[in-house]
Amino acid sequence: MTEFWLISAPGEKTCQQSWDKMMMATTHTTNLSTNNKFNIPDLKVGTLDVLVGLSDELTKLDTFVESVVKKVAQYMADVLEDSRDKIQENLLANGVDLVTYVTRFQWDMAKYPIKQSLKNISEIISKQVSQIDNDLKARASAYNNLKGNLQNLERKNAGSLLTRSLADIVKKEDFILDSEYLLTMLVVVPKINYVEWQKTYETLSEMVVPRSTNLLFEDHDSGLFSVTLFRKAIDDFKHKARENKFTVRDFQYNDEEMKADKEELTRLSTDKKKQFGPLVRWLKVNFSEAFIAWIHIKALRVFVESVLRYGLPVNFQAMLLQPHKKNIKKLREVLYDLYKHLDGSANIIDAAMDIPGLNLSQQEYYPYVYYKIDCNLLDFKF
């Protein structure tokens, strides 16, 4: 499982005692979870009013930053296309996998100086991640347009002979060009009707040049035939061909247009390859930045909520639990028994009530501070 529970409990005589007590309950005899201390530095507390307001702001910021982390991860998977099985090795935080980063979390003093107020730190994170979000939209839009244009051109050069581009199939010598009277037409004939075509094409209308048909190309279902006729017979020929289940393609050989199409295909393909590397590098760097910011938001929320719940002076132990899949329900029960004394009203609090600072309306309520961190950030699994 890549799901973690970030919880905190008030310090007993020391924070170490709180840790030992939780470890005894969850691992020593029952092996319900794998646990790590979650180190939060001594942050500036500020006033109660500020903490209550900040608690609500951090809830929204948490949701926003998580959404950006997921968007960057999902877009990286989209960009990698056929190599998306390599996505996990690209989703790193500070050069390590996400589980390692979370379980060994250390506050980044350089990015988020703890001499700043809690509100200032949250604003630094908000600005940073908003910039990543805006940059992602711009880069994704440009790359998607390029990719879409390339796919449209590639689609024209693939598929059925009834719809695909014929530019890469036909050659100049297949056509009579610059004739005032004669024109070469291209006709798609189902394979089962080849014999019928050879028998009848000369008589589908007047003025068809005898023995002028050639098979130029065939796919799984059909063949592309050329036929030469006088220009004045074109409409009649098309009509009779349609009656006989032969499809005339509207195609005029134009060397310059065909050359331009091929050059455009080459240009778009080259541009996509040129942009791919820098885009993946940008996504890797900014995924890391956004994920790190997200975990710092979790740390801020634990700090603020712990002060609001347990009071001053600041004395709590933050702990990161990785539940063992089959023991989630049992772990909840053990934690409840361990910490129910913290809140005698835990049984009767209505989760729909909105008590400032506790965010009960946002999630289930527990007598201990609790936030979930899910490191599985993609909508698909391998």
Side-chain angles (χ1 to χ4, degrees):
M1 280 184 72
T2 54
E3 179 179 307
F4 294 89
W5 296 356
L6 181 54
I7 72 169
S8 83
E12 309 275 336
K13 287 181 181 176
T14 66
C15 289
Q16 184 62 36
Q17 282 181 309
S18 299
W19 169 257
D20 292 340
K21 198 171 173 183
M22 189 276 296
M23 286 293 287
M24 182 68 71
T26 61
T27 64
H28 287 186
T29 55
T30 51
N31 196 27
L32 300 177
S33 58
T34 303
N35 307 327
N36 290 275
K37 285 184 180 178
F38 192 84
N39 297 309
I40 300 175
D42 294 329
L43 300 169
K44 283 192 171 182
V45 175
T47 65
L48 181 62
D49 283 351
V50 168
L51 287 179
V52 169
L54 193 58
S55 177
D56 290 334
E57 288 171 22
L58 287 173
T59 303
K60 294 169 189 167
L61 187 56
D62 189 349
T63 302
F64 169 65
V65 175
E66 182 181 4
S67 75
V68 173
V69 170
K70 286 183 173 178
K71 272 195 277 188
V72 177
Q74 193 63 51
Y75 193 62
M76 193 189 297
D78 293 345
V79 168
L80 288 174
E81 297 178 21
D82 296 338
S83 302
R84 61 165 48 191
D85 57 326
K86 294 192 171 97
I87 184 70
Q88 297 301 344
E89 64 196 57
N90 287 292
L91 295 180
L92 304 175
N94 254 2
V96 298
D97 66 83
L98 306 186
V99 169
T100 301
Y101 179 80
V102 172
T103 54
R104 298 179 187 171
F105 174 76
Q106 294 292 327
W107 187 274
D108 190 326
M109 302 286 184
K111 277 184 188 151
Y112 313 116
I114 59 173
K115 288 182 180 178
Q116 299 262 14
S117 69
L118 295 174
K119 188 165 181 61
N120 281 359
I121 293 171
S122 73
E123 285 173 355
I124 290 169
I125 293 174
S126 179
K127 284 176 186 172
Q128 176 198 9
V129 178
S130 294
Q131 186 63 53
I132 291 173
D133 190 38
N134 291 333
D135 287 351
L136 176 64
K137 285 173 187 169
R139 287 169 186 269
S141 176
Y143 189 75
N144 289 347
N145 282 339
L146 175 61
K147 188 173 164 184
N149 291 337
L150 179 59
Q151 284 173 338
N152 287 338
L153 271 182
E154 287 174 339
R155 208 174 288 123
K156 284 181 183 177
N157 292 326
S160 162
L161 280 170
L162 294 170
T163 55
R164 64 163 292 169
S165 168
L166 304 177
D168 62 332
I169 291 174
V170 297
K171 300 185 285 292
K172 190 173 184 178
E173 50 267 31
D174 296 326
F175 294 84
I176 291 176
L177 301 171
D178 304 323
S179 168
E180 188 178 344
Y181 302 106
L182 294 174
L183 179 76
T184 301
M185 302 192 75
L186 300 177
V187 184
V188 178
V189 179
K191 283 187 174 179
I192 57 171
N193 294 344
Y194 278 10
V195 174
E196 187 68 17
W197 166 257
Q198 294 289 357
K199 279 184 187 175
T200 61
Y201 81 90
E202 292 180 4
T203 58
L204 287 176
S205 73
E206 296 179 349
M207 301 186 178
V208 175
V209 176
R211 294 187 295 283
S212 64
T213 193
N214 287 299
L215 176 61
L216 305 181
F217 183 86
E218 56 184 351
D219 61 15
H220 185 68
D221 302 308
S222 311
L224 184 70
F225 286 84
S226 62
V227 60
T228 302
L229 60 155
F230 281 79
R231 289 180 181 272
K232 60 172 70 176
I234 289 173
D235 290 340
D236 188 38
F237 182 85
K238 283 183 178 178
H239 178 68
K240 292 286 175 34
R242 193 162 51 245
E243 286 181 353
N244 285 272
K245 298 183 180 175
F246 307 137
T247 305
V248 177
R249 289 289 308 267
D250 285 326
F251 181 86
Q252 288 186 328
Y253 187 90
N254 185 314
D255 216 11
E256 288 184 6
E257 277 185 21
M258 288 164 64
K259 187 179 175 186
D261 282 350
K262 283 178 184 174
E263 285 175 353
E264 179 69 357
L265 186 62
T266 303
R267 184 187 68 79
L268 290 172
S269 183
T270 303
D271 283 355
K272 187 186 171 195
K273 284 174 187 170
K274 276 184 186 172
Q275 289 191 25
F276 176 81
L279 179 59
V280 170
R281 282 193 292 278
W282 184 91
L283 289 166
K284 284 174 71 171
V285 168
N286 286 276
F287 172 82
S288 176
E289 292 293 309
F291 186 85
I292 289 167
W294 185 42
I295 303 306
H296 279 75
I297 287 288
K298 295 291 188 189
L300 283 177
R301 293 190 73 187
V302 169
F303 183 86
V304 169
E305 198 78 5
S306 298
V307 173
L308 286 171
R309 291 244 195 142
Y310 311 140
L312 293 170
V314 175
N315 181 29
F316 67 89
Q317 178 64 56
M319 300 167 276
L320 190 73
L321 284 61
Q322 188 173 13
H324 299 157
K325 196 168 186 181
K326 293 177 182 176
N327 296 326
I328 289 178
K329 189 177 177 187
K330 178 65 178 169
L331 180 59
R332 277 281 179 227
E333 291 169 359
V334 166
L335 291 176
Y336 178 77
D337 287 340
L338 193 60
Y339 299 123
K340 62 186 176 185
H341 66 280
L342 296 175
D343 192 346
S345 61
N347 284 326
I348 58 171
I349 286 184
D350 180 355
M353 290 169 61
D354 193 6
I355 299 175
L358 294 185
N359 299 314
L360 301 186
S361 60
Q362 302 298 316
Q363 60 181 49
E364 294 177 81
Y365 178 75
Y366 302 101
Y368 47 91
V369 172
Y370 160 80
Y371 296 106
K372 186 169 82 168
I373 299 173
D374 190 350
C375 291
N376 183 24
L377 299 164
L378 297 166
D379 295 333
F380 58 84
K381 291 178 182 175
F382 300 105

